[in-house]
């Protein structure tokens, strides 16, 4: 379309997109004319286009898709005079090719003979809006597009048109918002239907190629897109484009992280902070900063993006951005501000350092009334939102505080052997678990933590030594007296007390993890129940029970006695024959290490799979991973065992679940670990038992359960004593860590526990009181309930009915489990907000766009990742995802069925 400037007609320059659009438009008009009036007398293959006689492109041809797959080729010629137009018309060209003539001449200049050879018998003007409307399949344009401030849009849309063309709109009118949204998406490297949000804009700022393409756009288009994004995206766009203007956009995300501290409300150092802000504004924002509200919103968006990177596998990018943010603060001469951050590594360092100081101040003999500051320091640490690859450091800090809580709790010597065994499985073993984490803590970034953790560890060991001595003393007397065990399980009665009653319901899979301690077992049990495939059950209403190993607590004695159901000793052949004899009258199979392996393409031997699949066969399996590891040092820096680290265990559990077979996970004995301070008073053939007179830290034990050296043996209760060269760990002694056998029993859905047994509703039932901080008004632990056979169909109907009930969110926040979860989540959103979020998601079928979910709880959309992270700590029980983000953070999802099962099932 020509424009008038200073009394002269100024014709526009045509680029390939304009030429293609104009030719396509002309061909379609010609086709419509033929349908209405019939074919014309000539075969017009010339498009006369009124445009500047310039063609700045290497190729003199264009290819145009007209309809569907039909394409035509056109030769483009720039002709500034009538004579050059005539010469172009006379040039030879392929019969099927079209000619596009770019000329400033008008109809009267060229005459009827030339016009007769042209499409439409005229010189066509370039009306870019006609081309735009056609490209989008619209009949009319939003009247606002004709405004002077949007005159750049048509040219930009034609230039940015994707190779396959713009997707047609499903409306007769092409709206302003539609064209700007699609144009923005195209210019910023997104799909044309994708709306840019704050996170996408920050991601774009890191892509030098895309940023370069944007800066190469015409000034008017650049300014127009920036203005529209500032209006639609808000403060983040304003700051990003200010950074772009100052040449600092590559640092947008790190600057946002720095700005979170730089523009946070500060009580002190006002002068230094004001000077740092001036330096930041001069360097990054061209000397004029947006208002502080905008900068804080920008900072929150940057933090949310980095946290999302941290959670979706882009931890390297998150780490680099945080490192650069710390550099920026240092360059602005306020590097210490990084220590206040809830995202930067320096903030984590500062919190760990503060906690270490509080721990050191109450050791070596902490009292309950002295823990408030340490608990507050731990709360501050847990408020840090990006531990990143340093979760082990945070876990060590948590365990250190747990141990200090344990040190303040009263611990009387065990009254009986059974009392000591029960307290070990329910409390002391948890202390061992936490102490191992603390012992192996990485304190390289926080040197002050090393001394604090060392003090915690040695205080715990001192208390454990007292308890170990008292337990061993009672064990020696009990063993010599051949006292009755009562309900206490022994290695030789373990299967009779657990596997036999379970076999009346369904044949169990008995997995003996050789050498597994109580500390190992409590961690593994959490993983098993977190899968939601298994329900833990047991004989005791108030929690797990323990069994007692033989003396010595060695495999050759204790494992043989376990499988044979009687006190004995021997190797694998003895175990197999004894196991078969114990289960005489029904099929049984026992597999050791050599029988579990298989060739390429399978993870478990066919014999084992077939045995597990046979519902009538009681199956036993020995796993040696833990016991083998004790013979070496390669486990020294891995404080806890996970399911996937124990060879064959995950596969065995999966096979058992598929066969609907209950599982008993136990061991033949536990172990003590080497902490580099062991003593070797004498040399013997075994690591933790010998013959001869006892010395310090040892007892002489005699009685029918002593299966070595003719019924009398010297064994240590002190975990430091060993009789062989140093290894990762040892067993054979009479400390509770070696003598106490953990017993874990799990049943799959549809398989009831034996009559009189109890189902443990949550793993938190097993946690000792000191494991997590007590609320101000302690709630009683959830009562275990008698197990009943559950009908899956009935279970689904209950779930569906609950989900359909109005006010599901209110029911959830009023539930006992929700109240228990809230005890451990500080600064959680109010109940009414969570109820509104749950109701809104449930009403929408479990999914809502993040913006709509944010509106339900009155949050800006860019704050939702952090908000949902906190809500997830309340609703994602046992690590299972009830509420989460999907679609790159654009959608919030709620598993209504699982939510109802967890919180409302009675």
């Amino acid at each position: 379309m020509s424009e008038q400037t200073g009394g002269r007609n100024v014709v526009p320059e045509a680029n390939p997109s304009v030429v293609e659009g104009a030719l396509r438009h002309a061909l379609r008009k010609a086709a419509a004319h033929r349908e209405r009036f019939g074919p014309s007398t000539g075969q017009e293959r010339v498009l006369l286009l009124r445009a500047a006689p310039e063609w700045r492109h290497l190729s003199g041809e264009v290819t145009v898709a007209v309809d569907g797959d039909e394409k035509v080729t056109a030769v483009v010629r720039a002709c500034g005079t009538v004579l050059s137009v005539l010469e172009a018309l006379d040039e030879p060209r392929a019969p099927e090719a079209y000619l596009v003539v770019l000329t400033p001449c008008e109809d009267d200049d060229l005459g009827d003979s030339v016009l007769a050879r042209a499409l439409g018998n005229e010189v066509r003007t370039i009306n870019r809006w006609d081309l735009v409307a056609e490209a989008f399949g619209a009949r009319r344009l939003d009247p606002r597009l004709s405004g002077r401030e949007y005159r750049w849009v048509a040219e930009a849309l034609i230039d940015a048109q994707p190779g396959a063309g713009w997707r047609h709109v499903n409306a007769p009118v092409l709206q302003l918002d539609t064209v700007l949204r699609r144009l923005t998406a195209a210019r910023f490297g997104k799909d044309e239907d994708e709306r840019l949000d704050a996170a996408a804009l920050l991601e774009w700022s890191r892509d030098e190629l895309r940023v370069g393409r944007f800066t190469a756009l015409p000034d008017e288009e650049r300014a127009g897109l920036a203005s529209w994004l500032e209006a639609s995206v808000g403060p983040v766009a304003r700051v990003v484009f200010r950074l772009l203007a100052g040449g600092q956009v590559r640092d947008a995300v790190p600057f946002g992280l720095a700005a979170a501290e730089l523009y946070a409300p500060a009580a002190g150092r006002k002068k230094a902070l004001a000077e740092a802000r001036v330096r930041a504004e001069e360097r990054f924002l061209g000397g004029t900063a947006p208002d502080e509200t905008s900068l804080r919103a920008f900072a929150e968006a940057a933090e949310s993006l980095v946290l999302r990177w941290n959670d979706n596998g882009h931890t390297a990018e998150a780490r680099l951005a945080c490192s650069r943010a710390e550099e920026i603060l240092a360059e602005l001469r306020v590097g210490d501000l990084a220590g206040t951050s809830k995202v930067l590594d320096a903030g984590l360092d500062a919190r760990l350092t503060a906690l270490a100081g509080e721990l050191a101040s109450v050791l070596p003999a902490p009292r309950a009334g002295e823990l408030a500051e340490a608990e507050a320091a731990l709360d501050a640490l847990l408020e840090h939102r990006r531990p990143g690859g340093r979760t082990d450091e945070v876990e060590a800090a948590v365990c250190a505080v747990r141990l200090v809580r344990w040190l303040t709790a009263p611990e009387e010597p065990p009254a009986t052997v059974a009392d000591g065994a029960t307290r070990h499985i329910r409390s002391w073993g948890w202390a061992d678990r936490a102490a191992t984490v603390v012992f192996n803590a990485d304190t390289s970034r926080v040197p002050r933590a090393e001394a604090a953790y060392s003090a915690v560890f040695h205080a715990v060991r001192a208390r454990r030594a007292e308890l170990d001595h008292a337990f061993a003393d009672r064990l020696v007397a009990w063993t010599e007296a051949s006292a009755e065990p009562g309900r206490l399980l022994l290695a030789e009665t373990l299967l009779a007390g657990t596997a036999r009653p379970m076999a009346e319901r369904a044949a169990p899979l008995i997995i003996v993890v050789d050498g597994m301690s109580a500390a190992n077992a409590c961690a593994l049990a959490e993983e098993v129940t977190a899968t939601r495939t298994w329900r833990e059950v047991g004989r005791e209403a108030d929690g797990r029970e323990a069994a007692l190993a033989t003396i010595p607590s060695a495999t050759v004695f204790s494992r043989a006695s376990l499988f044979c159901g009687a006190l004995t000793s021997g190797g694998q052949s003895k175990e197999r024959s004894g196991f078969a004899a114990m289960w005489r009258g029904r099929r049984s199979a026992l597999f050791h290490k050599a029988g579990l392996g298989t060739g390429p393409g399978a993870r478990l031997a066919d014999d084992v799979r077939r045995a597990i699949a046979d519902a009538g066969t009681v199956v036993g399996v020995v796993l040696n991973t833990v016991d083998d590891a004790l013979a070496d040092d390669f486990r020294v820096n891995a404080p806890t065992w996970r399911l996937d680290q124990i060879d064959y265990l995950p596969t065995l559990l999966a096979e058992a679940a598929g066969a609907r077979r209950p599982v008993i996970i136990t061991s033949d004995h536990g172990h003590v670990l080497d902490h580099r301070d062991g003593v070797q008073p004498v040399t013997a053939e075994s690591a933790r038992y010998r013959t001869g007179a006892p010395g310090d830290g040892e007892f002489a034990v005699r009685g029918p359960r002593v299966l070595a050296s003719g019924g009398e043996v010297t064994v240590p209760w002190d975990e430091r004593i060993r009789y062989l060269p140093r290894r990762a760990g040892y067993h054979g002694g009479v400390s509770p860590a070696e003598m106490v056998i953990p017993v874990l029993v799990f049943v799959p859905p549809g398989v009831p526990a034996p009559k009189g047994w109890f189902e443990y509703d949550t793993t938190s039932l097993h946690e000792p009181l000191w494991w997590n901080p007590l609320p101000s008004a302690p709630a009683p632990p959830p009562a275990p309930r008698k197990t009943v056979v559950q009908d899956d169909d009935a279970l689904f109907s209950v779930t569906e009915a609950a989900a359909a009930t109005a006010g599901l969110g209110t029911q959830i926040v009023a539930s006992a489990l929700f109240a228990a979860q809230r005890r451990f989540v500080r600064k959680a959103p109010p109940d009414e907000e969570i109820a509104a979020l749950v109701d809104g998601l449930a009403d929408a079928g479990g999914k809502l766009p993040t913006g709509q979910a944010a509106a339900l709880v009155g949050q800006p959309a860019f704050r939702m990742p952090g908000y949902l992270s906190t809500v997830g700590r309340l609703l994602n029980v046992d690590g299972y995802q009830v509420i989460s983000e999907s679609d790159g953070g654009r959608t919030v999802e709620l598993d209504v069925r699982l939510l109802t099962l967890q919180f409302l099932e009675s």
Side-chain angles (χ1 to χ4, degrees), residues 424 432 436 464 513-521 553 626-627 629-630 639 641 667-674 688 719 728-733 735-740 742:
H424 183 76
D432 290 348
T436 305
R464 281 305 316 272
V513 183
D514 197 328
M516 178 179 68
S517 66
N520 304 148
S553 53
V626 175
D627 199 51
L630 297 176
W641 285 98
S667 67
D668 50 350
H669 55 76
H671 64 265
V672 293
L673 294 172
D674 189 288
R688 290 272 290 174
E719 67 175 19
Y730 319 93
H731 56 85
S735 73
E738 298 162 283
M739 288 295 301
V740 174

Side-chain angles (χ1 to χ4, degrees), residues 377-460:
L378 178 61
D379 289 342
L381 173 64
L382 296 178
E383 287 174 357
H384 193 276
R385 301 166 65 190
R386 192 194 66 86
R390 303 174 63 190
T391 53
D392 288 347
E393 293 180 59
V394 175
E395 178 63 15
V398 171
C399 285
V401 176
R402 284 169 171 164
L403 290 171
V404 173
R405 289 191 206 114
W406 180 63
L407 291 170
T408 66
E411 279 282 7
E412 297 296 327
T416 64
V417 171
D419 177 41
T422 300
R423 285 164 64 183
H424 183 76
I425 202 73
R426 298 183 185 179
S427 180
W428 304 347
W430 292 75
D432 290 348
R433 172 185 174 184
T436 305
V437 173
V438 169
F439 180 80
N440 288 284
D442 178 4
T443 59
S444 57
R445 285 185 61 105
V446 188
R448 190 173 185 182
E450 181 178 1
Y453 293 170
S454 178
V456 171
F457 181 78
H458 286 103
V460 168

Side-chain angles (χ1 to χ4, degrees), residues 125-251:
T125 58
I126 298 174
N127 188 323
R128 284 165 168 74
W129 283 118
D130 285 347
L131 301 180
V132 168
E134 181 179 27
F136 283 92
R139 294 196 298 271
R140 297 190 306 277
L141 299 174
D142 187 325
R144 290 175 293 175
L145 287 168
S146 61
R148 183 177 181 82
E149 66 270 30
Y150 297 117
R151 64 184 181 183
W152 55 272
V153 174
E155 184 79 32
L157 286 167
I158 293 170
D159 181 62
Q161 183 168 271
W166 294 107
R167 281 197 282 273
H168 284 192
V169 295
N170 297 318
V173 178
L174 184 60
Q175 298 291 338
L176 171 65
D177 183 70
T178 299
V179 298
L180 290 177
R181 174 170 50 81
R182 294 207 191 178
L183 175 61
T184 302
R187 292 306 199 194
F188 284 79
K190 298 290 184 180
D191 182 88
E192 65 178 279
D193 288 325
E194 193 173 351
R195 183 180 291 275
L196 258 72
D197 57 15
L201 194 57
L202 287 170
E203 290 271 19
W204 167 85
S205 72
R206 303 169 59 249
D207 190 323
E208 292 183 7
L209 181 60
R210 290 179 178 175
V211 170
R213 289 173 180 166
F214 178 79
T215 56
L217 295 175
D219 293 346
E220 195 174 12
E221 182 181 355
R222 258 198 343 270
L225 291 176
S227 176
W228 187 75
L229 281 171
E230 289 178 15
S232 59
V233 175
V236 174
R238 285 196 289 277
V239 180
V240 165
F241 288 116
R242 192 69 60 86
L243 290 166
L244 179 64
Q248 301 288 344
V249 74
R250 188 70 179 85
D251 268 340

Side-chain angles (χ1 to χ4, degrees), residues 514-808:
D514 197 328
M516 178 179 68
S517 66
N520 304 148
C522 63
L524 291 174
E526 290 175 2
E527 283 195 78
V528 174
T529 54
T531 65
R532 315 300 294 183
T533 301
W534 302 95
R535 299 164 9 245
E536 187 176 0
V537 298
R539 302 192 311 162
E540 305 297 331
D542 54 348
R544 294 178 186 134
E545 62 180 325
L548 207 62
T550 62
I551 300 174
S553 53
T555 300
V556 67
F557 309 117
S558 204
R559 199 173 80 189
S561 299
L562 186 153
F563 281 123
C564 295
L567 289 170
T568 188
S569 63
Q572 295 182 9
S573 60
K574 182 64 174 287
E575 292 169 3
R576 277 192 290 269
S577 61
F579 190 71
M582 180 181 177
W583 294 101
R584 186 174 290 113
R586 67 183 303 165
R587 293 187 301 279
S588 65
L590 177 60
F591 298 93
H592 292 85
K593 185 175 182 178
L596 297 175
T598 184
R603 290 181 293 176
L604 200 63
D606 290 341
D607 288 350
V608 183
R609 292 182 186 275
R610 283 194 292 268
I612 295 174
D614 181 0
T617 300
V618 177
V619 180
V621 175
V622 178
L623 302 181
N624 297 95
T625 305
V626 175
D627 199 51
D628 289 348
L630 297 176
D632 207 336
D633 274 338
F634 72 90
R635 285 284 306 172
V636 167
N637 292 319
T640 57
W641 285 98
R642 298 192 305 270
L643 286 179
D644 60 2
Q645 293 175 322
I646 298 182
D647 295 341
Y648 303 109
L649 183 53
T651 305
L652 288 168
L653 288 171
E655 292 288 328
R660 300 179 71 82
R661 180 188 283 268
V663 172
I664 298 171
I665 302 178
T666 188
S667 67
D668 50 350
H669 55 76
H671 64 265
V672 293
L673 294 172
D674 189 288
H675 294 116
R676 310 294 198 283
D677 60 352
V679 295
Q680 188 176 3
V682 298
T683 298
E685 293 183 358
S686 299
R688 290 272 290 174
Y689 64 93
R690 65 181 181 89
T691 58
D696 291 342
E698 298 174 313
F699 279 124
V701 192
R702 63 182 60 86
R705 297 194 76 251
V706 179
L707 302 181
S709 306
E712 182 173 351
V713 70
T714 294
V715 285
W717 58 263
D718 188 333
E719 67 175 19
R720 296 172 299 174
I721 293 177
R722 57 181 171 81
Y723 308 128
L724 293 178
R726 191 174 69 83
R727 299 176 178 176
Y730 319 93
H731 56 85
V734 288
S735 73
E738 298 162 283
M739 288 295 301
V740 174
I741 297 173
V743 181
L744 308 174
V745 185
F746 303 99
V747 293
V751 176
K755 184 178 180 181
W757 285 34
F758 297 86
E759 179 177 341
Y760 304 134
D761 287 346
T762 64
T763 56
S764 62
L765 172 69
H766 304 295
E767 295 172 353
L769 291 177
W770 52 266
W771 192 251
N772 287 305
L774 289 173
S776 55
R785 64 174 185 272
K786 297 283 182 142
T787 299
V788 296
V789 179
Q790 295 182 349
D791 183 334
D792 284 348
D793 292 335
L795 187 61
F796 278 105
S797 64
V798 169
T799 299
E800 291 163 0
T805 303
L808 173 62

